[in-house]
Amino acid sequence: MRLHFDEVKSTLSQVLMAHGCAQEQCDEVAYEMARNSLEGIYTHGINRFARLVRNIDEGIVKPGMMPVRIGGFGAIENYDGGLGLGITNARICMARAMELACVHGIGLVALRNTNHWLRAATYGYQACDGGMAAMCFTNTIPNMPTWGATDSRIGNNPLVFAFPRKQGHVVVDMAMSQFSYGALELARLENRQMPVDAGFDMQGRLTRDPDQVIRSQRILPTGYWKGAALSFVLDVFAGCLSLGNTVAGVGRLEGDEHGVSQVFIAIDYQKIVPADQAETILNNAVEDLLSSTPSRKGERIVYTGQKTDEIRKENLEKGIPVDEGIWAQIKALA
């Protein structure tokens, strides 16, 4: 089934209000989750909404809490999120990083004791829309074995790089696993295999079957040992800068994933680089990339972030694709 964006947003907002969220937070979270699905990130939009509501009911997510400053020095600050809504906390902290960047040229805000921020790219786009470049990352619950191990002790810690561009922002949003668990869950829902190996089955064999990987909890790190190493370093940075949980600490908490640590970096590059010159350099790089020779006839080369606007346009015209069972579950939550 396909639903109009406004209907999705309104329904999600009503459900959140019924579960104790303030109107402003309801509207913000509902907008972002509807927008995620609108732009093709279904795993971190409508499909994950019921889980968010369940976490609110369980007390893991506390809608009334806002980030509180712990300390700071110059362009660097850290905050405690009080287990508030992940989207709200993250948007506040990226906005603060941008304020610091306006003064210092760069701003870094580390956040502890917060919740899942849903789509990581949201905060890269937030910075780009304000004319700044950004980098941000989060840790997670232990959900991936380090290279050569069988038990999960690292996270697939998502990482975002974003640079503004008039013709379409260049944004990388990637987990440190070959595929996110959300992507695996969507593939399982649609009864399809992954295009390349996604992890190991219960017998330790590489597989493209999402159900087998979800069962084994042995997802494959991006770049094998390189992705595992990057995951660990991102975790250390997030935990140490925020004085918060590392992946190991998150794993010791009872219940669903919560209490994670995040870092938001905003760069006001126009303080040292003329905007038009940066735009020219970026456009040249994009044009060179798009002139690549496709490995298969009929395939199209795209730059990272390019498909977002195309999917958004299609879903605005036709409606957002929604699984009927998931939508019925959401409606029942009201």
Side-chain angles (χ1 to χ4, degrees):
M1 61 187 293
R2 285 183 177 265
L3 300 173
H4 290 295
F5 175 80
D6 288 341
E7 179 184 355
V8 172
K9 183 181 68 173
S10 175
T11 300
L12 300 188
S13 182
Q14 290 171 15
V15 171
L16 289 170
M17 184 169 291
H19 289 261
C21 295
Q23 182 68 62
E24 184 177 353
Q25 291 181 318
C26 292
D27 293 341
E28 178 181 51
V29 173
Y31 173 83
E32 292 297 346
M33 296 192 77
R35 175 189 173 191
N36 292 348
S37 287
L38 178 72
E39 297 179 351
I41 315 300
Y42 308 109
T43 57
H44 288 66
I46 295 170
N47 290 9
R48 196 182 174 96
F49 183 76
R51 182 175 174 182
L52 170 62
V53 173
R54 184 172 68 248
N55 289 164
I56 292 172
D57 292 344
E58 294 169 346
I60 289 173
V61 176
K62 303 180 184 297
M65 302 301 292
M66 294 290 178
V68 176
R69 188 175 184 271
I70 303 169
F73 182 84
I76 305 174
E77 294 181 348
N78 50 15
Y79 288 76
D80 189 303
L83 292 181
L85 285 158
I87 288 176
T88 300
N89 280 352
R91 287 189 60 84
I92 289 172
C93 287
M94 176 50 81
R96 180 55 185 159
M98 294 170 68
E99 290 175 353
L100 291 169
C102 285
V103 177
H104 303 284
I106 189 169
L108 184 153
V109 171
L111 173 66
R112 73 182 184 195
N113 201 29
T114 190
N115 282 300
H116 200 302
W117 61 9
L118 279 299
R119 180 189 181 189
T122 297
Y123 316 103
Y125 282 113
Q126 181 181 349
C128 287
D129 290 343
M132 296 189 187
M135 184 177 101
C136 44
F137 50 93
T138 181
N139 60 18
T140 68
I141 198 167
N143 59 16
M144 183 169 72
T146 193
W147 186 248
T150 59
D151 55 332
S152 295
R153 292 181 182 270
I154 60 176
N156 64 340
N157 308 334
L159 169 67
V160 175
F161 283 94
F163 206 96
R165 178 170 173 262
K166 292 178 182 178
Q167 297 178 48
H169 304 319
V170 175
V171 179
V172 174
D173 175 357
M174 59 176 289
M176 292 299 104
S177 54
Q178 186 64 48
F179 297 99
S180 69
Y181 275 98
L184 294 177
E185 290 165 357
L186 180 61
R188 182 169 66 174
L189 185 67
E190 297 176 349
N191 195 29
R192 58 178 170 82
Q193 299 284 290
M194 308 309 292
V196 297
D197 289 334
F200 298 90
D201 63 17
M202 298 297 291
Q203 287 71 46
R205 299 170 300 199
L206 284 170
T207 179
R208 299 184 180 188
D209 186 336
D211 185 62
Q212 291 293 323
V213 178
I214 291 172
R215 288 184 181 184
S216 72
Q217 291 290 292
R218 291 186 62 188
I219 201 166
L220 191 64
T222 299
Y224 303 102
W225 51 88
K226 295 181 180 180
L230 183 54
S231 164
F232 183 69
V233 172
L234 292 174
D235 181 34
V236 169
F237 268 67
C240 291
L241 293 177
S242 69
L243 293 177
N245 289 317
T246 60
V247 168
V250 176
R252 287 191 287 267
L253 301 175
E254 294 184 3
D256 202 355
E257 178 184 273
H258 65 287
V260 300
S261 304
Q262 299 167 348
V263 173
F264 304 84
I265 302 171
I267 306 168
D268 189 0
Y269 64 94
Q270 295 183 46
K271 292 191 180 302
I272 59 169
V273 177
D276 58 339
Q277 292 184 33
E279 186 83 8
T280 298
I281 292 171
L282 185 53
N283 285 337
N284 288 339
V286 169
E287 290 167 8
D288 182 70
L289 180 73
L290 296 180
S291 66
S292 302
T293 303
S295 59
R296 295 181 182 178
K297 187 177 181 179
E299 287 192 349
R300 184 173 64 123
I301 304 297
V302 298
Y303 65 86
T304 178
Q306 183 176 353
K307 291 184 178 180
T308 298
D309 289 339
E310 298 171 0
I311 296 173
R312 176 186 179 90
K313 182 178 179 181
E314 177 183 347
N315 286 345
L316 278 174
E317 293 175 354
K318 299 180 180 179
I320 302 171
V322 182
D323 180 84
E324 292 185 17
I326 289 175
W327 189 244
Q329 185 182 19
I330 291 172
K331 296 279 282 187
L333 290 171

